[in-house]
Amino acid sequence: MAGRELASKLLKTAALLSDSRVAGYIPRTREYSAAGLSAMLERYGNVVIKPVVGGGGYGVIKVFRDQRGYGFTYMKSTRIYGDFTSMRQALDRFKVKRKYLIQQGISLARISGRPIDYRVKVVKNGEHWEFRSMVGRVARPGLFVTNLCKGGTMLSCRQGLRRSLPRVGTSSKKAEMRRLTLVCTELLERHFPGIGELGFDYAVDHRGKIWILEVNTRPK
């Protein structure tokens, strides 16, 4: 049984931030606004904006600020503007008609130039949670989103870690993801009784640090 569905990414993020064991794994996240976007770009240089409710990479846009000016990437298309206001006005035309959030951009480890992240799925079976899968997802060439429905390629978690970060201990990173998943599952179940399955999207950056990108209550 699938159990309760919780759609809002902001609600789930707030629950995870409430625990000091987890908070350090969460990229800076806030509701979308022009002022918030400007401040986040000033601080981080690049961010991802995504619908508060939605999945499968739908409506996800990468926004950046660099020596060329301000710009954003949607699917394979990148646009550059000389100033923030021009960029934001164009961005508003690309966003889907949903409420958005802004998330600190993470420099994902890569395989042959393609970003990789990880999906860890757990399901409640009676009183206990069971791990169902731990897989890597490599973005289709030219894209920054890794979703399989957007042409991403699946491989084992071990293979993904070994190929993207050959100098990082694969077993220790897998173990850290598993530990973190169990802590977060217990935390989310306490905040949202009735959930029955969870899909965690993890990033491992180019330095080997793990980040929780988002958690889905109806993972595909």
Side-chain angles (χ1 to χ4, degrees), residues 115-163:
I116 178 171
D117 68 8
Y118 301 87
R119 165 60 66 87
V120 178
K121 186 176 177 181
V122 290
V123 176
K124 191 160 193 187
N125 185 0
E127 292 299 306
H128 304 285
W129 287 86
E130 298 177 349
F131 283 87
R132 286 291 166 87
S133 60
M134 292 182 76
V135 298
R137 304 179 303 181
V138 185
R140 194 174 96 202
L143 296 190
F144 70 90
V145 293
T146 62
N147 305 78
L148 302 182
C149 61
K150 292 283 192 291
T153 304
M154 187 167 68
L155 70 176
S156 73
C157 183
R158 184 176 299 280
Q159 193 181 11
L161 287 164
R162 189 178 291 145
R163 289 177 60 191

Coordinates of all heavy atoms in Angstrom, one line a residue, residues 115-163:
P115 N 26.1 14.8 -15.4 CA 25.8 14.8 -14.0 C 25.2 13.5 -13.5 O 24.4 12.9 -14.3 CB 24.9 16.0 -13.7 CG 24.9 16.8 -15.0 CD 25.3 15.9 -16.1
I116 N 25.5 13.0 -12.3 CA 24.9 11.8 -11.8 C 24.3 12.1 -10.4 O 24.9 12.9 -9.6 CB 25.9 10.6 -11.7 CG1 25.2 9.4 -11.1 CG2 27.1 11.0 -10.9 CD1 26.0 8.1 -11.2
D117 N 23.1 11.6 -10.1 CA 22.6 11.6 -8.7 C 22.1 10.2 -8.4 O 22.2 9.3 -9.2 CB 21.6 12.8 -8.5 CG 20.3 12.6 -9.3 OD1 20.0 11.5 -9.9 OD2 19.4 13.5 -9.3
Y118 N 21.4 10.1 -7.2 CA 21.1 8.8 -6.8 C 19.7 8.8 -6.2 O 19.2 9.7 -5.5 CB 22.1 8.3 -5.7 CG 23.5 8.3 -6.2 CD1 24.3 9.4 -6.1 CD2 24.0 7.1 -6.8 CE1 25.6 9.4 -6.7 CE2 25.3 7.1 -7.3 CZ 26.1 8.3 -7.2 OH 27.3 8.3 -7.8
R119 N 18.9 7.7 -6.5 CA 17.6 7.5 -5.9 C 17.6 6.3 -5.0 O 18.0 5.2 -5.4 CB 16.6 7.3 -7.1 CG 15.2 6.7 -6.7 CD 14.4 7.6 -5.7 NE 14.0 8.8 -6.2 CZ 12.9 9.1 -6.9 NH1 12.1 8.1 -7.2 NH2 12.6 10.3 -7.3
V120 N 17.2 6.5 -3.8 CA 17.1 5.5 -2.8 C 15.7 5.3 -2.4 O 15.0 6.3 -1.9 CB 18.0 5.8 -1.5 CG1 17.8 4.7 -0.5 CG2 19.5 5.9 -1.9
K121 N 15.1 4.1 -2.6 CA 13.7 3.9 -2.3 C 13.5 3.0 -1.1 O 14.1 1.9 -1.0 CB 13.0 3.3 -3.6 CG 11.5 3.2 -3.4 CD 10.9 2.7 -4.7 CE 9.4 2.5 -4.6 NZ 8.8 2.0 -5.8
V122 N 12.6 3.4 -0.2 CA 12.3 2.6 1.0 C 10.8 2.4 1.0 O 10.0 3.4 0.7 CB 12.8 3.2 2.3 CG1 14.3 3.1 2.4 CG2 12.4 4.6 2.5
V123 N 10.3 1.3 1.5 CA 8.9 1.0 1.6 C 8.6 0.4 2.9 O 9.4 -0.4 3.5 CB 8.5 0.0 0.5 CG1 7.0 -0.4 0.6 CG2 8.7 0.6 -0.9
K124 N 7.4 0.8 3.5 CA 7.1 0.2 4.8 C 6.4 -1.1 4.6 O 5.4 -1.2 3.9 CB 6.1 1.2 5.6 CG 6.0 0.8 7.0 CD 5.5 1.9 7.9 CE 5.6 1.5 9.4 NZ 5.0 2.5 10.3
N125 N 6.9 -2.1 5.4 CA 6.3 -3.4 5.3 C 5.9 -3.8 6.7 O 6.8 -4.2 7.5 CB 7.3 -4.4 4.7 CG 6.8 -5.8 4.5 OD1 5.6 -6.0 4.8 ND2 7.6 -6.7 4.0
G126 N 4.7 -3.7 7.1 CA 4.2 -3.9 8.4 C 4.7 -2.8 9.3 O 4.4 -1.6 9.1
E127 N 5.5 -3.1 10.3 CA 6.1 -2.2 11.2 C 7.4 -1.6 10.8 O 8.0 -0.7 11.4 CB 6.2 -2.8 12.7 CG 4.9 -3.1 13.3 CD 4.0 -1.8 13.5 OE1 4.5 -0.9 14.1 OE2 2.9 -1.8 13.0
H128 N 8.0 -2.3 9.8 CA 9.4 -2.0 9.4 C 9.5 -1.4 8.0 O 8.7 -1.6 7.2 CB 10.3 -3.2 9.5 CG 10.2 -3.9 10.9 ND1 10.8 -3.4 12.0 CD2 9.5 -5.0 11.3 CE1 10.6 -4.1 13.0 NE2 9.8 -5.1 12.6
W129 N 10.6 -0.5 7.9 CA 10.9 0.0 6.6 C 12.0 -0.9 5.9 O 12.9 -1.3 6.6 CB 11.4 1.4 6.7 CG 10.3 2.4 7.0 CD1 9.8 2.7 8.3 CD2 9.6 3.2 6.1 NE1 8.8 3.6 8.2 CE2 8.6 4.0 6.9 CE3 9.6 3.4 4.7 CZ2 7.8 4.9 6.3 CZ3 8.7 4.2 4.1 CH2 7.8 5.0 4.9
E130 N 11.8 -1.1 4.6 CA 12.8 -1.9 3.9 C 13.4 -1.1 2.7 O 12.7 -0.3 2.1 CB 12.1 -3.2 3.3 CG 11.5 -4.1 4.3 CD 10.7 -5.3 3.7 OE1 10.5 -5.2 2.4 OE2 10.4 -6.2 4.4
F131 N 14.6 -1.3 2.5 CA 15.3 -0.7 1.3 C 14.9 -1.5 0.1 O 15.0 -2.8 0.0 CB 16.8 -0.7 1.4 CG 17.3 0.3 2.3 CD1 17.4 0.1 3.7 CD2 17.7 1.6 1.8 CE1 17.9 1.1 4.6 CE2 18.2 2.5 2.7 CZ 18.3 2.3 4.0
R132 N 14.3 -0.8 -0.9 CA 13.9 -1.5 -2.2 C 15.0 -1.3 -3.3 O 15.1 -2.2 -4.1 CB 12.6 -1.0 -2.6 CG 11.4 -1.6 -1.8 CD 11.2 -3.1 -2.0 NE 10.4 -3.7 -1.0 CZ 9.1 -3.7 -1.0 NH1 8.5 -3.2 -2.1 NH2 8.4 -4.3 -0.1
S133 N 15.6 -0.2 -3.3 CA 16.6 0.1 -4.4 C 17.5 1.2 -4.1 O 17.1 2.1 -3.3 CB 15.9 0.3 -5.8 OG 15.0 1.5 -5.7
M134 N 18.7 1.2 -4.6 CA 19.7 2.3 -4.5 C 20.3 2.3 -5.9 O 21.1 1.4 -6.2 CB 20.7 2.0 -3.4 CG 20.2 2.1 -2.0 SD 21.6 1.8 -0.8 CE 22.4 3.4 -0.9
V135 N 20.0 3.3 -6.7 CA 20.5 3.4 -8.0 C 21.1 4.8 -8.4 O 20.7 5.8 -7.8 CB 19.4 3.0 -9.1 CG1 18.9 1.6 -8.9 CG2 18.3 4.0 -9.1
G136 N 22.0 4.8 -9.3 CA 22.5 6.0 -9.8 C 21.7 6.4 -11.1 O 21.2 5.5 -11.8
R137 N 21.6 7.7 -11.4 CA 20.9 8.2 -12.6 C 21.8 9.2 -13.2 O 22.1 10.3 -12.7 CB 19.6 8.8 -12.2 CG 18.7 7.9 -11.4 CD 17.3 8.5 -11.1 NE 17.5 9.8 -10.4 CZ 16.5 10.5 -9.9 NH1 15.3 10.2 -10.2 NH2 16.8 11.6 -9.3
V138 N 22.2 8.9 -14.4 CA 23.1 9.8 -15.2 C 22.3 10.6 -16.2 O 21.5 10.0 -17.0 CB 24.2 9.0 -15.9 CG1 25.2 9.9 -16.6 CG2 25.0 8.1 -15.0
A139 N 22.5 11.9 -16.2 CA 21.7 12.7 -17.1 C 22.0 12.4 -18.6 O 23.1 12.0 -19.0 CB 22.1 14.2 -16.9
R140 N 21.0 12.5 -19.4 CA 21.2 12.4 -20.9 C 22.2 13.5 -21.3 O 22.2 14.6 -20.8 CB 19.8 12.7 -21.5 CG 19.7 12.3 -23.0 CD 18.3 12.4 -23.5 NE 18.1 13.7 -24.2 CZ 16.9 14.3 -24.3 NH1 15.8 13.7 -23.8 NH2 16.8 15.4 -24.9
P141 N 23.0 13.2 -22.3 CA 24.0 14.2 -22.8 C 23.3 15.5 -23.1 O 22.3 15.6 -23.8 CB 24.5 13.6 -24.0 CG 24.4 12.1 -23.8 CD 23.1 11.9 -23.1
G142 N 23.9 16.6 -22.5 CA 23.3 17.9 -22.8 C 22.3 18.4 -21.8 O 22.0 19.6 -21.7
L143 N 21.8 17.5 -20.9 CA 20.8 17.9 -19.9 C 21.5 18.0 -18.5 O 22.5 17.3 -18.3 CB 19.7 17.0 -19.9 CG 18.8 16.9 -21.1 CD1 17.5 16.1 -20.8 CD2 18.4 18.2 -21.6
F144 N 20.9 18.7 -17.6 CA 21.4 18.7 -16.2 C 20.4 17.9 -15.3 O 20.8 17.6 -14.2 CB 21.6 20.2 -15.7 CG 20.3 20.9 -15.5 CD1 19.6 20.9 -14.2 CD2 19.7 21.7 -16.5 CE1 18.4 21.6 -14.0 CE2 18.6 22.4 -16.3 CZ 17.9 22.4 -15.1
V145 N 19.2 17.7 -15.7 CA 18.3 16.8 -14.9 C 18.6 15.4 -15.3 O 18.9 15.0 -16.4 CB 16.8 17.2 -15.2 CG1 16.5 18.5 -14.6 CG2 16.4 17.1 -16.6
T146 N 18.5 14.5 -14.2 CA 18.9 13.1 -14.4 C 17.7 12.2 -14.5 O 17.9 11.0 -14.7 CB 19.7 12.7 -13.2 OG1 18.9 12.8 -12.0 CG2 21.0 13.5 -13.0
N147 N 16.5 12.7 -14.4 CA 15.3 11.8 -14.4 C 15.3 10.9 -15.6 O 15.6 11.2 -16.7 CB 14.0 12.7 -14.4 CG 14.0 13.7 -13.3 OD1 14.7 14.8 -13.4 ND2 13.3 13.5 -12.3
L148 N 14.9 9.6 -15.3 CA 14.9 8.6 -16.3 C 13.9 8.9 -17.4 O 14.1 8.7 -18.5 CB 14.6 7.2 -15.7 CG 15.6 6.8 -14.6 CD1 15.2 5.4 -14.1 CD2 17.0 6.7 -15.1
C149 N 12.8 9.6 -17.0 CA 11.7 10.0 -17.9 C 12.2 11.1 -18.8 O 11.5 11.4 -19.9 CB 10.4 10.4 -17.2 SG 10.6 11.8 -16.1
K150 N 13.3 11.7 -18.5 CA 13.9 12.7 -19.4 C 15.1 12.2 -20.1 O 16.0 12.9 -20.6 CB 14.3 14.0 -18.6 CG 13.1 14.7 -18.0 CD 12.5 15.6 -19.0 CE 11.5 16.6 -18.4 NZ 10.3 16.0 -17.8
G151 N 15.2 10.9 -20.2 CA 16.3 10.2 -20.9 C 17.5 9.9 -20.1 O 18.6 9.5 -20.7
G152 N 17.5 10.0 -18.8 CA 18.6 9.6 -17.9 C 18.9 8.1 -18.0 O 18.0 7.3 -18.4
T153 N 20.1 7.7 -17.7 CA 20.5 6.3 -17.7 C 20.7 5.8 -16.3 O 21.3 6.5 -15.5 CB 21.9 6.2 -18.5 OG1 21.7 6.8 -19.7 CG2 22.3 4.7 -18.6
M154 N 20.2 4.6 -16.0 CA 20.3 4.0 -14.7 C 21.5 3.1 -14.6 O 21.8 2.4 -15.6 CB 19.0 3.3 -14.3 CG 18.9 2.8 -12.9 SD 17.3 2.2 -12.4 CE 17.1 0.8 -13.4
L155 N 22.2 3.1 -13.5 CA 23.2 2.2 -13.2 C 23.2 1.9 -11.7 O 22.6 2.6 -10.9 CB 24.6 2.6 -13.7 CG 25.3 3.8 -13.0 CD1 26.7 4.0 -13.7 CD2 24.5 5.1 -13.2
S156 N 24.0 0.9 -11.2 CA 24.0 0.6 -9.8 C 24.6 1.8 -9.0 O 25.5 2.5 -9.5 CB 24.7 -0.7 -9.5 OG 26.1 -0.5 -9.6
C157 N 24.2 1.9 -7.8 CA 24.8 3.0 -6.9 C 26.3 2.8 -6.8 O 27.1 3.8 -6.9 CB 24.2 2.9 -5.5 SG 24.7 4.1 -4.4
R158 N 26.8 1.6 -6.6 CA 28.2 1.3 -6.5 C 29.0 1.7 -7.7 O 30.0 2.4 -7.7 CB 28.4 -0.2 -6.2 CG 29.9 -0.6 -5.9 CD 30.0 -2.0 -5.5 NE 29.2 -2.3 -4.3 CZ 29.7 -2.1 -3.1 NH1 30.9 -1.5 -2.9 NH2 29.0 -2.4 -2.0
Q159 N 28.4 1.3 -8.9 CA 29.1 1.7 -10.2 C 29.1 3.2 -10.4 O 30.1 3.7 -10.8 CB 28.3 1.0 -11.3 CG 29.0 0.9 -12.6 CD 28.1 0.3 -13.7 OE1 27.0 0.0 -13.5 NE2 28.7 0.0 -14.8
G160 N 28.0 3.9 -10.0 CA 27.9 5.3 -10.2 C 29.0 6.0 -9.4 O 29.7 6.9 -9.8
L161 N 29.1 5.6 -8.1 CA 30.1 6.2 -7.2 C 31.5 5.9 -7.7 O 32.3 6.8 -7.7 CB 29.9 5.7 -5.8 CG 28.6 6.2 -5.0 CD1 28.3 5.4 -3.8 CD2 28.8 7.7 -4.6
R162 N 31.8 4.7 -8.1 CA 33.1 4.3 -8.5 C 33.5 5.1 -9.8 O 34.7 5.5 -9.9 CB 33.1 2.8 -8.7 CG 34.6 2.3 -9.0 CD 34.5 0.8 -9.1 NE 34.2 0.1 -7.9 CZ 33.5 -1.0 -7.8 NH1 33.0 -1.6 -8.9 NH2 33.2 -1.6 -6.7
R163 N 32.6 5.3 -10.7 CA 33.0 5.9 -12.0 C 33.0 7.4 -11.9 O 33.8 8.1 -12.6 CB 32.0 5.5 -13.1 CG 32.1 4.0 -13.5 CD 31.1 3.6 -14.5 NE 31.2 4.4 -15.7 CZ 30.3 4.4 -16.7 NH1 29.2 3.6 -16.5 NH2 30.4 5.2 -17.7

